Amino acid sequence: MAEVAGSSGRAWKRHIVRQLQLRDRAQSGRFLDVVQAYTKLLEKSNMLVHFTGKLEAKSAELQVPRPGQETPGSVLDPATGAADGLNTLERQHQREIAGVKDTSGELAYQIFELSKLLKAKECELQEQKTRLGSLSGQLSELEAEQQWLESQAEALGRGNNALKRDYDVLRERYRRRESELRRAAEKGQELLGSLVQMKAEAAEHQNEKNERAKQARLCRELKKAMKRTVSIDVESDEVMPAEGKVPTGELVELEDGEKLWKRPFRSASATSMTLARCVDVFKGLLDFRLKRGKSLSSGSEARYHSMPICFVACLPSRVSDVQEAHFSEVNAVTFSPSPGVLATGGADSHIRLWNVAGGRLESLQILEGAGGSITSIAFDPSGSQILAASYNKSAQLWHFGDCNSKETLTGHADKVTAAKFRSIRHQAVTGSRDRTVKEWDLGKGACCRTINVVSYCNDVVCGDNVIVSGHHDKKIRFWDSRGPRCTEVIPVDSKVTSLHISQDQMHLLSCSRDNTLKVIDLKMNNVRQVFRADGFKCGSDWTKAIFSPDKSYALVGSLDGSLYFWNLESGKLETVLSGEHRASVNAVAWCFSGQYVVSVDRGRKVVLWK
């Protein structure tokens, strides 16, 4: 225990000695400048004493004359000359002592200043030590935090690697599924094409079968008519059919093996009645072919009845009703030829039918099944069918009063932007962003003609024998429905957003993104009028402009929610209606009676103007 206590005592002493040595080094370092200055001062003092001694020795030598040598003034007063030399040396020595004192004062002042600076440095050093201690504590904390963050980063790196592996697996699975989906889509397209072809073949087969049945029935009717005997009573002018008996020996064999009794004589009246019966039978056959849409029917019989004609359209001046029609923006609106029926289509994939009565909009029903945003709506001239184009690459057909879609016209490869009925029954035309315009046989639900174009199609309209399409490449193209090629191209200054043909099919109204409306003469195929106005801006690539039913005005909606009316006769802006829409107007419609105007916008509003 004593050894342990002795060793601990020696260690304590060594610790104290080390601490004292460290303190001496620190304090000697602090006063090093002062010691050096003091040393220099002592050196100068010693040099001054040395020089003083030398000067005194020289003065003594000067005062003591050498033997045999006379100094000046020695003859007069030797004591006086020595005293003057000593005084001179004393004055010189006093001056040097005064200079040394001045230097010593300056050095003492410097020592005082340096001591103050040293104290300030010591305080600053203490502060720096305190700050260094706090920073060392912070550094240790930051190092601990860095280690924790590094561990977290390593854990996150391991997690990221695991997620990356999972992502790679999922991406590979997605690629496989995408390829499978592509193959399934291609197979679906092939199946759809084969289904359409099978439907067409089945329809042709059914037509042929019905035709053969009709012909067989006609033959039977003819044979029966040939077997009948007609007797005529001249006095009463009545024709009475009667069955006559003829001898069994007079039989005539027909082409199909049937036998007919041969009559020795047939009167003229009997022959005429038989021909009349044959005419009736042939008329029934022609009527049957007409119902099937064959070429034997005349063009006038296959067309719709004429649409109602408006003699005077009323220019609206006020808002009659406002409704929030859809869950998102409204893209299309149109009136039915039937009085008081309106249809709107929106980005919510719904078509709503409205009853317009007494200046109010009353909801009738909602048509579902479009499967995509509605871009265009059209009624057939009879008002019994509704055709809508949508973003799901197809067009839908509904019967008026039926909520479910009757037919889906598929075949486009991109969004269908326009769908219109033709004046010929069971025919329609669609335009798409896949750079095609298609004609459809609605009876078969199949495409009967595809027109390939070099640009996106934004809108189409149909005349009796012409199809007009407006395109993204700033051109309006005319297609002859009886031929395969484009017959006319009219360039405009910007991409076409809509087309509208007048009821007399004499003029075409186009709207384009350069904020202009153009009236095109369809006989001369040239631009007749151009309408523009300050404040009018075309709000989108599908903004619709229309003629009034009597072709007196041109109407379009603007980006700021206003409606602009131009007078076609004067060519000037007639009026501007604003204040109700708070968003861009996408489409407008004018009822066939000319009494109401409807506008729809991106803010889900439907506004009825009167």
Side-chain angles (χ1 to χ4, degrees):
M1 291 298 289
E3 292 178 359
V4 173
S7 63
S8 62
R10 286 192 297 273
W12 175 72
K13 290 178 182 179
R14 284 195 299 272
H15 176 70
I16 291 175
V17 170
R18 280 198 301 271
Q19 292 295 326
L20 290 173
Q21 289 174 353
L22 291 174
R23 188 184 68 177
D24 291 340
R25 285 198 204 100
Q27 289 181 356
S28 63
R30 293 173 185 174
F31 292 97
L32 183 62
D33 296 336
V34 178
V35 172
Q36 290 177 356
Y38 184 70
T39 304
K40 289 180 180 179
L41 182 60
L42 290 177
E43 289 176 356
K44 287 182 180 181
S45 231
N46 293 330
M47 289 176 66
L48 181 60
V49 171
H50 178 68
F51 288 144
T52 303
K54 283 184 178 183
L55 289 174
E56 289 178 354
K58 285 182 180 181
S59 62
E61 289 177 359
L62 290 174
Q63 290 175 4
V64 178
R66 294 179 183 179
Q69 183 180 4
E70 293 182 359
T71 59
S74 60
V75 177
L76 297 176
D77 190 1
T80 304
D84 290 337
L86 288 174
N87 291 331
T88 302
L89 290 173
E90 185 178 1
R91 285 193 298 272
Q92 185 178 0
H93 180 64
Q94 288 177 355
R95 284 196 299 270
E96 290 179 358
I97 289 174
V100 170
K101 287 181 178 181
D102 292 338
T103 304
S104 299
E106 291 177 359
L107 291 174
Y109 181 74
Q110 290 180 3
I111 290 171
F112 177 73
E113 293 292 331
L114 289 173
S115 63
K116 288 173 60 178
L117 182 62
L118 180 61
K119 290 180 180 180
K121 292 291 184 181
E122 287 178 353
C123 294
E124 185 177 356
L125 180 62
Q126 190 64 30
E127 292 177 358
Q128 293 291 339
K129 285 183 177 180
T130 305
R131 185 181 176 189
L132 180 62
S134 63
L135 291 176
S136 300
Q138 293 180 6
L139 180 62
S140 60
E141 292 177 359
L142 291 174
E143 288 177 350
E145 186 177 359
Q146 181 185 5
Q147 293 177 358
W148 180 77
L149 290 175
E150 287 177 354
S151 62
Q152 291 291 107
E154 291 177 358
L156 289 174
R158 292 192 295 271
N160 289 334
N161 292 331
L163 290 175
K164 187 177 182 301
R165 289 192 296 271
D166 295 341
Y167 170 74
D168 293 337
V169 173
L170 290 174
R171 185 173 60 180
E172 186 64 27
R173 187 182 302 173
Y174 169 75
R175 288 177 180 175
R176 291 197 299 269
R177 294 294 176 83
E178 188 179 15
S179 61
E180 292 175 0
L181 178 62
R182 191 181 301 110
R183 289 194 296 270
E186 294 174 356
K187 187 176 180 181
Q189 290 291 338
E190 294 177 358
L191 291 175
L192 181 62
S194 61
L195 178 62
V196 171
Q197 185 177 0
M198 289 174 60
K199 286 176 65 177
E201 292 176 355
E204 292 294 335
H205 179 69
Q206 187 65 29
N207 291 341
E208 293 176 359
K209 184 177 178 181
N210 293 338
E211 193 70 25
R212 289 194 298 269
K214 191 68 176 179
Q215 290 177 359
R217 188 165 60 252
L218 176 62
C219 291
R220 288 194 297 271
E221 292 289 338
L222 289 174
K223 290 174 183 178
K224 290 180 181 179
M226 292 176 65
K227 292 179 182 179
R228 292 174 184 170
T229 303
V230 180
S231 60
I232 301 174
D233 188 357
V234 179
E235 295 180 356
S236 61
D237 291 336
E238 293 181 357
V239 180
M240 299 293 294
E243 296 293 334
K245 293 182 180 181
V246 294
T248 58
E250 297 181 359
L251 291 175
V252 178
E253 187 173 357
L254 299 179
E255 294 179 358
D256 57 354
E258 294 185 2
K259 293 184 178 181
L260 180 67
W261 292 102
K262 181 179 178 182
R263 288 182 289 273
F265 175 77
R266 183 182 299 274
S267 65
S269 299
T271 305
S272 299
M273 292 300 296
T274 304
L275 290 176
R277 179 62 179 170
C278 291
V279 169
D280 292 337
V281 173
F282 276 110
K283 186 176 180 181
L285 177 61
L286 293 178
D287 290 339
F288 171 77
R289 289 189 175 181
L290 174 61
K291 292 178 182 178
R292 298 302 303 172
K294 294 294 182 178
S295 60
L296 291 177
S297 62
S298 64
S300 60
E301 291 174 336
R303 296 182 182 275
Y304 291 98
H305 295 295
S306 60
M307 298 177 65
I309 298 175
C310 174
F311 293 99
V312 178
C314 300
L315 197 65
S317 59
R318 62 182 179 85
V319 176
S320 182
D321 194 10
V322 180
Q323 296 286 340
E324 189 170 302
H326 295 266
F327 297 108
S328 56
E329 64 177 297
V330 190
N331 296 327
V333 61
T334 186
F335 275 98
S336 170
S338 303
V341 178
L342 175 74
T344 59
D348 58 357
S349 306
H350 291 161
I351 295 176
R352 294 194 67 174
L353 299 181
W354 305 81
N355 182 30
V356 183
R360 306 293 296 176
L361 292 172
E362 300 175 359
S363 180
L364 289 179
Q365 65 179 132
I366 298 177
L367 306 182
E368 299 178 350
S373 178
I374 303 297
T375 58
S376 173
I377 307 175
F379 282 95
D380 71 333
S382 67
S384 60
Q385 295 186 102
I386 303 169
L387 183 64
S390 64
Y391 273 17
N392 67 339
K393 307 177 185 180
S394 65
Q396 304 290 130
L397 184 67
W398 288 268
H399 274 307
F400 185 78
D402 190 356
C403 294
N404 296 321
S405 175
K406 172 192 173 185
E407 190 74 46
T408 301
L409 307 179
T410 58
H412 284 290
D414 206 337
K415 303 171 185 177
V416 181
T417 55
K420 301 291 175 62
F421 285 98
R422 296 201 60 193
S423 57
I424 302 173
R425 287 183 180 273
H426 310 300
Q427 290 192 17
V429 176
T430 58
S432 171
R433 288 178 63 87
D434 64 356
R435 298 181 175 88
T436 62
V437 176
K438 291 181 180 289
E439 293 185 63
W440 301 87
D441 185 341
L442 300 180
K444 297 178 181 179
C447 177
C448 56
R449 180 189 179 193
T450 299
I451 302 172
N452 294 309
V453 198
V454 297
S455 178
Y456 299 156
C457 177
N458 286 337
D459 201 3
V460 295
V461 293
C462 304
D464 288 340
N465 296 314
V466 68
I467 298 172
V468 187
S469 56
H471 296 272
H472 196 270
D473 63 351
K474 309 177 186 179
K475 292 180 181 178
I476 300 173
R477 292 176 171 85
F478 294 77
W479 311 88
D480 191 343
S481 59
R482 298 164 294 183
R485 295 184 180 180
C486 179
T487 60
E488 188 75 26
V489 177
I490 296 179
V492 294
D493 297 330
S494 185
K495 49 190 173 184
V496 181
T497 66
S498 74
L499 299 173
H500 188 246
I501 193 169
S502 61
Q503 288 191 15
D504 58 6
Q505 299 188 13
M506 298 290 289
H507 295 92
L508 178 72
L509 179 66
S510 72
C511 179
S512 54
R513 289 289 282 179
D514 60 349
N515 305 322
T516 61
L517 273 65
K518 296 178 177 63
V519 178
I520 299 171
D521 189 339
L522 293 180
K523 283 191 174 181
M524 305 301 295
N525 285 341
N526 59 4
V527 178
R528 177 183 174 186
Q529 291 175 304
V530 178
F531 298 133
R532 56 172 57 90
D534 295 336
F536 167 65
K537 291 184 179 180
C538 186
S540 64
D541 288 349
W542 53 87
T543 298
K544 299 296 188 292
I546 61 170
F547 284 118
S548 64
D550 60 351
K551 208 175 68 173
S552 297
Y553 304 100
L555 166 62
V556 69
S558 176
L559 178 65
D560 60 357
S562 302
L563 301 185
Y564 287 77
F565 295 80
W566 282 273
N567 191 312
L568 268 69
E569 184 176 355
S570 64
K572 297 181 180 180
L573 183 65
E574 187 73 20
T575 185
V576 178
L577 299 180
S578 60
E580 190 59 42
H581 289 289
R582 296 292 183 269
S584 176
V585 177
N586 286 333
V588 290
W590 209 317
C591 70
F592 289 95
S593 64
Q595 184 179 4
Y596 296 106
V597 169
V598 171
S599 56
V600 297
D601 64 12
R602 288 186 177 179
R604 303 179 291 182
K605 277 188 180 181
V606 177
V607 181
L608 179 66
W609 305 82
K610 183 177 181 181

